[in-house]
């Protein structure tokens, strides 16, 4: 991979001047993904923070062809565009090699867009679907999604006298995508650009569908100072809350092993959404979270044969 100095010389295709919150991870994800693109690229973007804050008419932060899709169908939109491209190529009306990427938040991916995503993957379109996963429906006021961790305080799973936040554990969407038997599936976070960028390049090079689940810290919904976005992603990896790995043609590979596996409390403590878990009586939730993380980490290690 090119080093940071070389990358900094590349033309930025996702520009500043958008209206994402200061320190928002969604913009950092979009920027890194577009830096990774070596061919012309077409983007489809589901409704969500990334979409609404970067395309306020008559402005746009995208210097590439970009389509807004409804909340539920970014995967169908990009699949249709790729099918049209193939038809035009067959007729000789297009000769250029083009890549196709869809962006959806966790709400648009884990929940409402899951059917369109599954269908597009199963049909075998040559597309990369990226979930920028901030673990809630941030754009409409921090409602819980099926990607929200157990115990988190959200506006639809509020913590209070009678509630300890979200009751259910989060869904393992990366595992669901692996079960589609597509050529490339990866999980990462924006805090490791030297992992994220080569993964995008690998995904775009495969002859078929690919999927990336990118953990995106959200300073507003998670409740931490804007300058800590990169630190939050690192903490997620170092506590093994968010294992960094890839699955290429069914083969698992661990891409990051923390020198020391930190307790899950190190990731929970700096975030307001978990503040109530440190009140007396809620120790059990933290214990459960730690057990869930340990179990999942062991599973990933065993899948990766490490
Ligand atoms: C079918 C449908 N239901 C609900 C909405 C309202 N809505 C717009 S954005 C959004 C939340 C998006 O959450 P997510 O996909 O996680 O992206 P984020 O805002 O976190 O970036 C919702 C519920 C909608 N636009 N369409
Ligand atoms: S609410 Fe979160 S995801 Fe949305 S713009 Fe703000 S920091 Fe970014």
């Amino acid at each position: 991979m090119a080093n940071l100095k070389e990358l900094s010389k590349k033309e930025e295709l996702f520009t500043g001047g958008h209206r994402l919150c200061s320190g928002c991870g969604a913009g950092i994800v979009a920027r890194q993904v577009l830096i990774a693109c070596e061919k012309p690229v077409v983007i489809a973007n589901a409704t969500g923070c990334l979409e609404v804050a970067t395309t306020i008419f008559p402005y746009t932060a995208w210097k590439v062809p970009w389509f807004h899709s409804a909340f539920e169908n970014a995967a169908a939109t990009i699949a249709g565009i790729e099918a049209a491209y193939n038809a035009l190529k067959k007729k000789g009306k297009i000769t250029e090699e083009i890549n196709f990427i869809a962006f959806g938040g966790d709400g648009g991916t884990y929940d409402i867009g899951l059917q369109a995503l599954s269908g597009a993957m199963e049909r075998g379109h040559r597309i990369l679907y990226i979930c920028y996963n901030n673990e809630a429906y941030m754009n409409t006021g921090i409602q819980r999604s099926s990607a929200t961790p157990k115990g988190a305080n959200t506006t639809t799973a509020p913590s209070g006298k009678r509630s300890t936040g979200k009751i259910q554990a989060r869904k393992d969407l990366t595992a669901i995508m692996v079960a589609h038997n597509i050529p490339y599936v990866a999980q990462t976070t924006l805090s490791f650009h030297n992992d994220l960028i080569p993964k995008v390049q690998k995904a775009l090079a495969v002859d078929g569908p690919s999927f990336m689940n990118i953990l995106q810290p959200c300073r507003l919904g998670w409740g931490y100072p804007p300058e800590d976005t990169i630190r939050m992603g690192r903490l997620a990896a170092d506590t093994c809350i968010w294992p960094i790995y890839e699955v290429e043609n069914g083969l698992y590979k661990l891409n990051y092993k923390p020198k020391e596996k930190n307790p899950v409390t190190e990731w929970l403590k700096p975030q307001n959404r978990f503040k109530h878990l440190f009140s007396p009586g809620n120790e059990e939730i933290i214990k459960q979270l730690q057990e869930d993380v340990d179990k999942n980490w062991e599973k990933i290690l065993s899948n990766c044969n490490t």
Side-chain angles (χ1 to χ4, degrees), residues 138-300:
M138 296 305 178
N139 175 55
T140 39
I142 319 173
Q143 295 92 9
R144 61 83 90 184
S145 80
S146 60
T148 306
K150 188 190 285 178
N153 171 43
T154 73
T155 49
T156 46
S159 64
K161 273 193 192 135
R162 297 198 197 132
S163 160
T164 50
K166 193 189 171 203
I167 298 162
Q168 303 84 0
R170 68 180 170 203
K171 189 194 274 182
D172 188 351
L173 183 67
T174 308
I176 294 172
M177 297 318 294
V178 172
H180 281 68
N181 294 319
I182 54 177
Y184 190 75
V185 176
Q187 197 169 279
T188 192
T189 171
L190 51 73
S191 308
F192 299 90
H193 77 275
N194 51 354
D195 181 76
L196 192 155
I197 292 174
K199 278 180 173 164
V200 171
Q201 290 172 339
K202 218 181 229 189
L204 292 175
V206 299
D207 191 14
S210 49
F211 173 83
M212 286 178 66
N213 198 347
I214 304 181
L215 187 72
Q216 180 246 297
C218 159
R219 46 82 41 115
L220 192 76
W222 294 19
Y224 63 82
E227 61 272 23
D228 279 352
T229 296
I230 302 295
R231 186 170 85 88
M232 292 313 308
R234 285 217 187 98
L235 280 174
D238 283 337
T239 52
C240 300
I241 274 267
W242 195 253
I244 310 294
Y245 69 100
E246 62 191 343
V247 186
E248 225 176 324
N249 297 314
L251 289 179
Y252 281 75
K253 187 176 172 198
L254 191 69
N255 308 112
Y256 178 73
K257 193 169 187 178
K259 279 196 193 95
E260 205 182 310
K261 183 168 173 275
N262 293 333
V264 81
T265 44
E266 293 206 7
W267 185 72
L268 301 174
K269 259 189 197 150
Q271 301 181 50
N272 260 339
R273 64 178 173 158
F274 296 119
K275 200 166 79 186
H276 58 287
L277 296 184
F278 294 91
S279 302
N282 288 341
E283 300 80 2
E284 183 55 27
I285 316 273
I286 296 184
K287 197 169 148 252
Q288 281 171 19
L289 274 167
Q290 185 67 64
E291 281 167 8
D292 290 352
V293 166
D294 292 346
K295 225 192 282 171
N296 186 50
W297 179 242
E298 288 309 317
K299 191 172 88 185
I300 299 289

Side-chain angles (χ1 to χ4, degrees), residues 3 19 24 26 59 66 93 111 114 142 158 164 166 179 183 209 230 233 255 266 278 288 302:
N3 62 32
R19 293 166 200 192
C24 172
Y59 306 106
W66 181 96
K93 293 191 175 172
D111 298 339
L114 186 60
I142 319 173
T164 50
K166 193 189 171 203
I230 302 295
N255 308 112
E266 293 206 7
F278 294 91
Q288 281 171 19
S302 130

Side-chain angles (χ1 to χ4, degrees), residues 91-166:
K91 288 183 186 165
K93 293 191 175 172
I94 246 179
T95 49
E96 212 172 5
E97 289 298 320
I98 299 176
N99 287 138
F100 301 93
I101 302 180
F103 281 101
D106 48 291
T109 309
Y110 278 63
D111 298 339
I112 305 179
L114 186 60
Q115 179 191 342
L117 171 61
S118 179
M121 296 286 132
E122 192 260 335
R123 290 192 302 275
H125 295 274
R126 192 174 175 168
I127 56 173
L128 164 59
Y129 188 104
I130 292 178
C131 176
Y132 68 99
N133 180 359
N134 49 36
E135 301 191 321
Y137 294 25
M138 296 305 178
N139 175 55
T140 39
I142 319 173
Q143 295 92 9
R144 61 83 90 184
S145 80
S146 60
T148 306
K150 188 190 285 178
N153 171 43
T154 73
T155 49
T156 46
S159 64
K161 273 193 192 135
R162 297 198 197 132
S163 160
T164 50
K166 193 189 171 203

